[in-house]
Amino acid sequence: MRAYNGLTMKLPSLFGGTRGLEAQIDLYFDKVQEAGLVFGRAMEIYLNRGVSGEFEELVRRVTAVEEEADDLRREIETQMTTHTLIPELREDVLSLIEQVDEVTNHYEAAVYSFYVQKPQIDEAYRDDFAELARMAQQTAEEMVTAARAFFRDLSAVRDHVKKVQFYESEADRITTRVGRQIYESTMDLARKMHLSSFLERLDSIADTAEDIGDKLSILTIKRMV
Amino acid sequence: MNPGIFTYLSSGLFLGWSLGANDAANIFGTAVGTRMVRFATAALIASIFVILGAVISGAGASHTLGKLGAINTQPGAFMAALAAALSVYLMTERGLPVSTSQAIVGGIIGWNIFMGQPTDPGIVSKFAFAWVASPVMAGIMSAVLFALARVLLRRVKIHLLRLDHYTRWGLILVGAFGAYSLGANNIANVMGVFLNVSPFRDLQLGPVTLSSAQQLFLLGGMAIAVGIYTYSERVMMTVGQDIVRLTPVAALVVVLAQSLVLFLFASQSLAAWLAAHHLPHLPLVPVSSSQAVVGAVIGLGLITPGERIRWDIVRNISIGWLLTPTVAALISVVGMFVLQNVFNLPVRP
């Protein structure tokens, strides 16, 4: 039995408010953040030591956290549809949660592709890959903070979305710079394409987080009192 | 009781139906149109509270209407209400802003003209003041309430889900209050002209006595409820989807401001309390809930950066203040003449 099952039992009643659902949404964002932290650590280990026992363990953990987040998401979706909420907000929250779920999917897909394909990253590019992975994770981390603020403090969303945009453009900048360096190098084309596909995979985490940031900006304007 | 009385009451009942069909949307329109509250819930609450408001607090505004011109024949009362209903219909058909409150005043002034008796300018000025003051007050109230809500919500930082949960319940509770105020203030439009020719006698129901006027108001309230059930859903859907998109909290503030204004212009006990404390009090006069809503939305706009007052709407309302009573008065005079001289009905006492 998972740790959050105790909370799922607390169905929000007519007069009981929405506390159970609020706690579940918080817990869901905890899981997304946890997946990001595990992803960051896994990338660090891979870039330093390649596929090792420790890396494999972290890959398993990302998968486990992603599954837990999925279960929570489904539970939230079920509760949202039965809850006495204003339909427009319900639809907005459901689509937000769905979109955030893509970020955890990206984390999982990224570590798995490193685990399966074991790309050879030369010493010259390791720091850049590490920096890109950090920027991607930071973009997603800031997006989660913005999403939490959407529920509790609408006036703070804008500040966090600004940071999301900043980190995402940094990630883009690294991806472009390193991509050019790779294609200008003497590596054979297959390896160039292989490596740049990993750059794009890491960058897609930041891109997805930025899309969610944009969505949060619109949702916030709609709800701003 | 002569069953023929219901023929005479029919014009008032039709006005009641029309009021329920249109004005319930001022209270529950946004909530139902945006699916925050189900129509079945809204219709039940609105019907119950409109009837309660009419029966319990309907006397104040009706009394003032009676002072404008005491119609004391059944055909006269019938024609005054019919003139109001016809002018509402005609102006609505032409897309002109119209209010039952203003139409019924025209109907009564028509009676005064027909009878050759003067209309008390003091009473007319009370109505004029109330019509102008009601949207202005609704605007001020909604601006103040919204500013307070904004400060409070930014300070308390309540979870969005919980805020929506509370807002939904708030819309139901404020909707109930709004329906009560609508019944209390606007029943005068529906049944006010029939007060002097009421066919009912006081009725003792256990510890409760229902006066003749209250029985009339009950009947009028039921007509409003029929209007709510039969026609208001489509009006609510239109209101919810067509007008400015309001946030749920803003929608709640608009309904509350409008309800408070209607209540202030209807509550005898509040007026008595203010008078007892030598405070200025408002005349108890039927006012337009639609115009109060417009005032409340404009009030919200004033404290929202970048919003401007739509003067065309304000101008249209002002035209309605003059045009509606004039049209109704004309129809009323002509109608009474026709009833007397063509149908040989005893319009004069």
Side-chain angles (χ1 to χ4, degrees), chain B residues 62-73:
Chain B
S62 302
H63 183 64
T64 317
L65 206 63
K67 280 201 243 169
L68 190 70
I71 304 178
N72 51 11
T73 63

Side-chain angles (χ1 to χ4, degrees), chain B residues 275-286:
Chain B
H277 290 79
H278 307 291
L279 291 166
H281 59 276
L282 294 167
L284 303 181
V285 165

Side-chain angles (χ1 to χ4, degrees), chain B residues 261-298:
Chain B
V261 166
L262 259 67
F263 186 74
L264 288 175
F265 280 102
S267 173
Q268 282 177 308
S269 40
L270 182 67
W273 186 86
L274 289 169
H277 290 79
H278 307 291
L279 291 166
H281 59 276
L282 294 167
L284 303 181
V285 165
V287 292
S288 158
S289 64
S290 309
Q291 291 174 10
V293 165
V294 172
V297 174
I298 289 177

Side-chain angles (χ1 to χ4, degrees), chain B residues 114 334-345 347:
Chain B
F114 179 78
V334 174
M336 287 190 200
F337 187 81
V338 169
L339 282 190
Q340 183 180 261
N341 297 304
V342 178
F343 293 94
N344 288 324
L345 288 170
V347 180

Side-chain angles (χ1 to χ4, degrees), chain B residues 176-194:
Chain B
F177 172 59
Y180 184 92
S181 302
L182 182 71
N185 186 279
N186 273 204
I187 193 67
N189 301 332
V190 177
M191 286 291 145
V193 291
F194 296 98

